[in-house]
PDB file of all heavy atoms in Angstrom:
ATOM      1  N   MET A 171     185.890  58.696 105.953  1.00 96.00           N
ATOM      2  CA  MET A 171     186.586  58.279 107.178  1.00 96.00           C
ATOM      3  C   MET A 171     185.643  57.768 108.296  1.00 96.00           C
ATOM      4  O   MET A 171     186.100  57.084 109.169  1.00 96.00           O
ATOM      5  CB  MET A 171     187.283  59.485 107.852  1.00 96.00           C
ATOM      6  CG  MET A 171     188.222  60.220 106.858  1.00 96.00           C
ATOM      7  SD  MET A 171     189.832  59.517 107.009  1.00 96.00           S
ATOM      8  CE  MET A 171     190.522  60.422 108.203  1.00 96.00           C
ATOM      9  N   THR A 172     184.368  57.919 108.045  1.00 96.00           N
ATOM     10  CA  THR A 172     183.357  57.529 109.095  1.00 96.00           C
ATOM     11  C   THR A 172     182.220  56.886 108.351  1.00 96.00           C
ATOM     12  O   THR A 172     181.884  57.102 107.138  1.00 96.00           O
ATOM     13  CB  THR A 172     182.868  58.675 109.963  1.00 96.00           C
ATOM     14  OG1 THR A 172     182.329  59.606 109.025  1.00 96.00           O
ATOM     15  CG2 THR A 172     184.130  59.258 110.695  1.00 96.00           C
ATOM     16  N   VAL A 173     181.356  56.259 109.186  1.00 98.00           N
ATOM     17  CA  VAL A 173     179.962  55.835 108.765  1.00 98.00           C
ATOM     18  C   VAL A 173     179.101  56.179 109.954  1.00 98.00           C
ATOM     19  O   VAL A 173     179.461  56.071 111.134  1.00 98.00           O
ATOM     20  CB  VAL A 173     179.894  54.420 108.221  1.00 98.00           C
ATOM     21  CG1 VAL A 173     180.182  53.392 109.395  1.00 98.00           C
ATOM     22  CG2 VAL A 173     178.486  54.154 107.655  1.00 98.00           C
ATOM     23  N   SER A 174     177.848  56.712 109.650  1.00 98.00           N
ATOM     24  CA  SER A 174     176.889  57.101 110.635  1.00 98.00           C
ATOM     25  C   SER A 174     175.534  56.790 110.176  1.00 98.00           C
ATOM     26  O   SER A 174     175.223  56.736 108.960  1.00 98.00           O
ATOM     27  CB  SER A 174     177.094  58.599 111.001  1.00 98.00           C
ATOM     28  OG  SER A 174     178.390  58.873 111.444  1.00 98.00           O
ATOM     29  N   LEU A 175     174.592  56.752 111.065  1.00 98.00           N
ATOM     30  CA  LEU A 175     173.114  56.503 110.740  1.00 98.00           C
ATOM     31  C   LEU A 175     172.474  57.846 111.116  1.00 98.00           C
ATOM     32  O   LEU A 175     172.701  58.402 112.267  1.00 98.00           O
ATOM     33  CB  LEU A 175     172.609  55.484 111.642  1.00 98.00           C
ATOM     34  CG  LEU A 175     171.024  55.247 111.413  1.00 98.00           C
ATOM     35  CD1 LEU A 175     170.764  54.581 110.022  1.00 98.00           C
ATOM     36  CD2 LEU A 175     170.542  54.360 112.452  1.00 98.00           C
ATOM     37  N   SER A 176     171.595  58.294 110.256  1.00 98.00           N
ATOM     38  CA  SER A 176     170.689  59.395 110.427  1.00 98.00           C
ATOM     39  C   SER A 176     169.278  58.906 110.186  1.00 98.00           C
ATOM     40  O   SER A 176     169.034  58.085 109.239  1.00 98.00           O
ATOM     41  CB  SER A 176     171.050  60.593 109.735  1.00 98.00           C
ATOM     42  OG  SER A 176     172.182  61.189 110.156  1.00 98.00           O
ATOM     43  N   ALA A 177     168.355  59.477 110.854  1.00 98.00           N
ATOM     44  CA  ALA A 177     166.943  59.275 110.675  1.00 98.00           C
ATOM     45  C   ALA A 177     166.207  60.592 110.943  1.00 98.00           C
ATOM     46  O   ALA A 177     166.511  61.432 111.764  1.00 98.00           O
ATOM     47  CB  ALA A 177     166.443  58.099 111.575  1.00 98.00           C
ATOM     48  N   ASN A 178     165.026  60.629 110.308  1.00 98.00           N
ATOM     49  CA  ASN A 178     164.053  61.695 110.650  1.00 98.00           C
ATOM     50  C   ASN A 178     162.739  61.304 110.638  1.00 98.00           C
ATOM     51  O   ASN A 178     162.364  60.441 110.096  1.00 98.00           O
ATOM     52  CB  ASN A 178     164.324  62.963 109.593  1.00 98.00           C
ATOM     53  CG  ASN A 178     164.030  64.282 110.207  1.00 98.00           C
ATOM     54  OD1 ASN A 178     163.978  64.457 111.379  1.00 98.00           O
ATOM     55  ND2 ASN A 178     163.930  65.223 109.412  1.00 98.00           N
ATOM     56  N   SER A 179     161.853  62.093 111.411  1.00 97.00           N
ATOM     57  CA  SER A 179     160.499  61.757 111.516  1.00 97.00           C
ATOM     58  C   SER A 179     159.634  62.902 111.064  1.00 97.00           C
ATOM     59  O   SER A 179     160.047  64.113 111.011  1.00 97.00           O
ATOM     60  CB  SER A 179     160.195  61.416 113.048  1.00 97.00           C
ATOM     61  OG  SER A 179     160.187  62.715 113.767  1.00 97.00           O
ATOM     62  N   GLU A 180     158.436  62.510 110.786  1.00 96.00           N
ATOM     63  CA  GLU A 180     157.496  63.524 110.218  1.00 96.00           C
ATOM     64  C   GLU A 180     157.323  64.585 111.397  1.00 96.00           C
ATOM     65  O   GLU A 180     157.135  65.762 111.042  1.00 96.00           O
ATOM     66  CB  GLU A 180     156.116  62.880 109.869  1.00 96.00           C
ATOM     67  CG  GLU A 180     156.218  61.970 108.620  1.00 96.00           C
ATOM     68  CD  GLU A 180     156.283  62.779 107.351  1.00 96.00           C
ATOM     69  OE1 GLU A 180     156.134  63.933 107.273  1.00 96.00           O
ATOM     70  OE2 GLU A 180     156.742  62.107 106.325  1.00 96.00           O
ATOM     71  N   GLN A 181     157.176  64.177 112.586  1.00 96.00           N
ATOM     72  CA  GLN A 181     156.912  65.076 113.726  1.00 96.00           C
ATOM     73  C   GLN A 181     158.018  66.025 113.742  1.00 96.00           C
ATOM     74  O   GLN A 181     157.803  67.347 113.923  1.00 96.00           O
ATOM     75  CB  GLN A 181     156.745  64.293 115.070  1.00 96.00           C
ATOM     76  CG  GLN A 181     155.473  63.379 115.170  1.00 96.00           C
ATOM     77  CD  GLN A 181     155.706  62.004 114.539  1.00 96.00           C
ATOM     78  OE1 GLN A 181     156.698  61.691 113.782  1.00 96.00           O
ATOM     79  NE2 GLN A 181     154.875  61.189 114.852  1.00 96.00           N
ATOM     80  N   HIS A 182     159.340  65.703 113.602  1.00 95.00           N
ATOM     81  CA  HIS A 182     160.409  66.660 113.784  1.00 95.00           C
ATOM     82  C   HIS A 182     160.431  67.509 112.506  1.00 95.00           C
ATOM     83  O   HIS A 182     160.532  68.793 112.836  1.00 95.00           O
ATOM     84  CB  HIS A 182     161.584  65.930 113.902  1.00 95.00           C
ATOM     85  CG  HIS A 182     162.859  66.762 113.887  1.00 95.00           C
ATOM     86  ND1 HIS A 182     163.061  67.629 115.041  1.00 95.00           N
ATOM     87  CD2 HIS A 182     163.782  67.244 112.992  1.00 95.00           C
ATOM     88  CE1 HIS A 182     164.170  68.442 114.746  1.00 95.00           C
ATOM     89  NE2 HIS A 182     164.597  68.191 113.563  1.00 95.00           N
ATOM     90  N   VAL A 183     160.335  67.049 111.408  1.00 95.00           N
ATOM     91  CA  VAL A 183     160.387  67.983 110.323  1.00 95.00           C
ATOM     92  C   VAL A 183     159.261  69.022 110.262  1.00 95.00           C
ATOM     93  O   VAL A 183     159.405  70.136 109.972  1.00 95.00           O
ATOM     94  CB  VAL A 183     160.586  67.272 108.899  1.00 95.00           C
ATOM     95  CG1 VAL A 183     159.281  66.670 108.428  1.00 95.00           C
ATOM     96  CG2 VAL A 183     161.086  68.098 107.834  1.00 95.00           C
ATOM     97  N   ASN A 184     158.023  68.606 110.629  1.00 94.00           N
ATOM     98  CA  ASN A 184     156.941  69.404 110.722  1.00 94.00           C
ATOM     99  C   ASN A 184     157.139  70.486 111.782  1.00 94.00           C
ATOM    100  O   ASN A 184     156.724  71.712 111.560  1.00 94.00           O
ATOM    101  CB  ASN A 184     155.648  68.635 110.995  1.00 94.00           C
ATOM    102  CG  ASN A 184     155.256  67.917 109.738  1.00 94.00           C
ATOM    103  OD1 ASN A 184     155.733  68.133 108.605  1.00 94.00           O
ATOM    104  ND2 ASN A 184     154.368  66.830 109.900  1.00 94.00           N
ATOM    105  N   SER A 185     157.698  70.151 112.968  1.00 94.00           N
ATOM    106  CA  SER A 185     157.906  71.125 114.007  1.00 94.00           C
ATOM    107  C   SER A 185     158.912  72.181 113.487  1.00 94.00           C
ATOM    108  O   SER A 185     158.767  73.376 113.743  1.00 94.00           O
ATOM    109  CB  SER A 185     158.349  70.513 115.255  1.00 94.00           C
ATOM    110  OG  SER A 185     159.620  70.045 115.205  1.00 94.00           O
ATOM    111  N   ILE A 186     159.970  71.849 112.795  1.00 92.00           N
ATOM    112  CA  ILE A 186     160.993  72.630 112.304  1.00 92.00           C
ATOM    113  C   ILE A 186     160.208  73.648 111.289  1.00 92.00           C
ATOM    114  O   ILE A 186     160.310  74.864 111.257  1.00 92.00           O
ATOM    115  CB  ILE A 186     162.147  72.026 111.607  1.00 92.00           C
ATOM    116  CG1 ILE A 186     162.938  71.574 112.818  1.00 92.00           C
ATOM    117  CG2 ILE A 186     162.917  73.069 110.743  1.00 92.00           C
ATOM    118  CD1 ILE A 186     164.269  70.729 112.184  1.00 92.00           C
ATOM    119  N   LEU A 187     159.549  73.143 110.392  1.00 91.00           N
ATOM    120  CA  LEU A 187     158.805  73.841 109.285  1.00 91.00           C
ATOM    121  C   LEU A 187     157.730  74.815 109.849  1.00 91.00           C
ATOM    122  O   LEU A 187     157.629  75.912 109.334  1.00 91.00           O
ATOM    123  CB  LEU A 187     158.271  72.998 108.177  1.00 91.00           C
ATOM    124  CG  LEU A 187     159.267  72.187 107.514  1.00 91.00           C
ATOM    125  CD1 LEU A 187     158.526  71.157 106.431  1.00 91.00           C
ATOM    126  CD2 LEU A 187     160.228  73.020 106.721  1.00 91.00           C
ATOM    127  N   ASP A 188     157.048  74.399 110.892  1.00 92.00           N
ATOM    128  CA  ASP A 188     156.167  75.235 111.487  1.00 92.00           C
ATOM    129  C   ASP A 188     156.795  76.426 112.173  1.00 92.00           C
ATOM    130  O   ASP A 188     156.152  77.527 112.304  1.00 92.00           O
ATOM    131  CB  ASP A 188     155.310  74.466 112.589  1.00 92.00           C
ATOM    132  CG  ASP A 188     154.326  73.437 111.971  1.00 92.00           C
ATOM    133  OD1 ASP A 188     154.066  73.531 110.730  1.00 92.00           O
ATOM    134  OD2 ASP A 188     153.898  72.616 112.739  1.00 92.00           O
ATOM    135  N   SER A 189     157.923  76.276 112.566  1.00 93.00           N
ATOM    136  CA  SER A 189     158.648  77.396 113.314  1.00 93.00           C
ATOM    137  C   SER A 189     159.492  78.405 112.299  1.00 93.00           C
ATOM    138  O   SER A 189     160.003  79.369 112.676  1.00 93.00           O
ATOM    139  CB  SER A 189     159.621  76.919 114.325  1.00 93.00           C
ATOM    140  OG  SER A 189     160.682  76.219 113.776  1.00 93.00           O
ATOM    141  N   GLU A 190     159.580  77.971 111.138  1.00 89.00           N
ATOM    142  CA  GLU A 190     160.349  78.681 110.085  1.00 89.00           C
ATOM    143  C   GLU A 190     159.387  79.784 109.429  1.00 89.00           C
ATOM    144  O   GLU A 190     158.306  79.654 109.064  1.00 89.00           O
ATOM    145  CB  GLU A 190     160.772  77.724 108.938  1.00 89.00           C
ATOM    146  CG  GLU A 190     161.956  76.964 109.198  1.00 89.00           C
ATOM    147  CD  GLU A 190     163.250  77.794 109.313  1.00 89.00           C
ATOM    148  OE1 GLU A 190     163.522  78.552 108.361  1.00 89.00           O
ATOM    149  OE2 GLU A 190     163.893  77.584 110.334  1.00 89.00           O
ATOM    150  N   GLU A 191     159.962  80.894 109.343  1.00 91.00           N
ATOM    151  CA  GLU A 191     159.364  82.036 108.597  1.00 91.00           C
ATOM    152  C   GLU A 191     159.517  81.834 107.147  1.00 91.00           C
ATOM    153  O   GLU A 191     158.461  82.192 106.374  1.00 91.00           O
ATOM    154  CB  GLU A 191     159.959  83.355 108.948  1.00 91.00           C
ATOM    155  CG  GLU A 191     159.676  83.794 110.434  1.00 91.00           C
ATOM    156  CD  GLU A 191     160.273  85.224 110.766  1.00 91.00           C
ATOM    157  OE1 GLU A 191     160.499  86.046 109.893  1.00 91.00           O
ATOM    158  OE2 GLU A 191     160.519  85.380 111.882  1.00 91.00           O
ATOM    159  N   ASN A 192     160.512  81.258 106.636  1.00 89.00           N
ATOM    160  CA  ASN A 192     160.696  80.948 105.239  1.00 89.00           C
ATOM    161  C   ASN A 192     159.901  79.719 104.898  1.00 89.00           C
ATOM    162  O   ASN A 192     160.297  78.617 105.358  1.00 89.00           O
ATOM    163  CB  ASN A 192     162.219  80.845 104.911  1.00 89.00           C
ATOM    164  CG  ASN A 192     162.500  80.593 103.417  1.00 89.00           C
ATOM    165  OD1 ASN A 192     161.537  80.243 102.666  1.00 89.00           O
ATOM    166  ND2 ASN A 192     163.734  80.582 103.049  1.00 89.00           N
ATOM    167  N   THR A 193     158.839  79.837 104.197  1.00 88.00           N
ATOM    168  CA  THR A 193     157.995  78.679 103.877  1.00 88.00           C
ATOM    169  C   THR A 193     158.186  78.246 102.410  1.00 88.00           C
ATOM    170  O   THR A 193     157.326  77.452 102.024  1.00 88.00           O
ATOM    171  CB  THR A 193     156.545  78.959 104.106  1.00 88.00           C
ATOM    172  OG1 THR A 193     156.164  80.166 103.259  1.00 88.00           O
ATOM    173  CG2 THR A 193     156.261  79.235 105.535  1.00 88.00           C
ATOM    174  N   SER A 194     159.219  78.631 101.758  1.00 93.00           N
ATOM    175  CA  SER A 194     159.465  78.268 100.375  1.00 93.00           C
ATOM    176  C   SER A 194     159.667  76.845 100.256  1.00 93.00           C
ATOM    177  O   SER A 194     160.055  76.055 101.212  1.00 93.00           O
ATOM    178  CB  SER A 194     160.718  78.946  99.891  1.00 93.00           C
ATOM    179  OG  SER A 194     161.891  78.464 100.520  1.00 93.00           O
ATOM    180  N   LYS A 195     159.417  76.245  99.097  1.00 91.00           N
ATOM    181  CA  LYS A 195     159.522  74.844  98.864  1.00 91.00           C
ATOM    182  C   LYS A 195     161.050  74.341  99.130  1.00 91.00           C
ATOM    183  O   LYS A 195     161.216  73.386  99.550  1.00 91.00           O
ATOM    184  CB  LYS A 195     159.048  74.418  97.537  1.00 91.00           C
ATOM    185  CG  LYS A 195     159.323  72.885  97.156  1.00 91.00           C
ATOM    186  CD  LYS A 195     158.523  72.426  96.039  1.00 91.00           C
ATOM    187  CE  LYS A 195     158.751  71.006  95.566  1.00 91.00           C
ATOM    188  NZ  LYS A 195     159.584  70.193  96.437  1.00 91.00           N
ATOM    189  N   GLU A 196     161.859  75.273  98.661  1.00 93.00           N
ATOM    190  CA  GLU A 196     163.383  74.951  98.805  1.00 93.00           C
ATOM    191  C   GLU A 196     163.752  74.834 100.254  1.00 93.00           C
ATOM    192  O   GLU A 196     164.547  73.891 100.648  1.00 93.00           O
ATOM    193  CB  GLU A 196     164.277  76.121  98.169  1.00 93.00           C
ATOM    194  CG  GLU A 196     164.168  76.174  96.594  1.00 93.00           C
ATOM    195  CD  GLU A 196     162.878  76.860  96.132  1.00 93.00           C
ATOM    196  OE1 GLU A 196     162.283  77.698  96.920  1.00 93.00           O
ATOM    197  OE2 GLU A 196     162.553  76.798  94.983  1.00 93.00           O
TER     198      GLU A 196
END
């Protein structure tokens, strides 16, 4: 029903992963 654009940056994904307690590869 829709089309959208998404993007992600290394900075954002790294900031999320740095704040996560779960560091599993999954």
